Amino acid sequence: MLIALIARDKPGALQTRLDNRTAHLAYIEDTGAVAQAGPLLDQEGNMVGSLVILDVEDMAAGQTWADNDPYAKADLFETVDLITWKKVIG
């Protein structure tokens, strides 16, 4: 099951993101559940959120992945949405 995780950072949280980026990227690598991922950017090119496409068994597994992400544990996000996603192109 593919799930789009769309997370928006709390205002002014860029340093929290930077402080936890290495752990977040290691988590992505270690779990093997991420099909695609990258930061959301503001007009100036600053990271302000995340888009992660998870390839997991079910929504519960997606929620577990999201809850254990170092960014989530660092309380970086203002909002997190998990939405079933269908790949059409690519």
Side-chain angles (χ1 to χ4, degrees):
M1 166 182 242
L2 295 175
I3 297 172
L5 181 158
I6 302 168
R8 302 207 181 255
D9 297 356
K10 291 179 177 176
L14 181 58
Q15 192 59 52
T16 300
R17 175 175 281 275
L18 296 174
D19 290 347
N20 291 278
R21 187 166 172 76
T22 299
H24 168 73
L25 294 175
Y27 179 66
I28 287 174
E29 183 73 25
D30 293 345
T31 61
V34 176
Q36 297 180 43
L40 302 176
L41 305 176
D42 66 13
Q43 300 249 337
E44 290 78 40
N46 297 308
M47 295 180 287
V48 295
S50 297
L51 171 60
V52 180
I53 304 299
L54 298 169
D55 188 351
V56 293
E57 185 174 327
D58 54 26
M59 189 61 75
Q63 186 65 60
T64 297
W65 191 95
D67 291 344
N68 288 300
D69 179 356
Y71 281 166
K73 289 184 173 191
D75 201 29
L76 171 63
F77 300 129
E78 183 170 48
T79 63
V80 177
D81 293 309
L82 295 170
I83 305 164
T84 303
W85 184 70
K86 179 180 178 182
K87 181 177 180 181
V88 175
I89 298 173

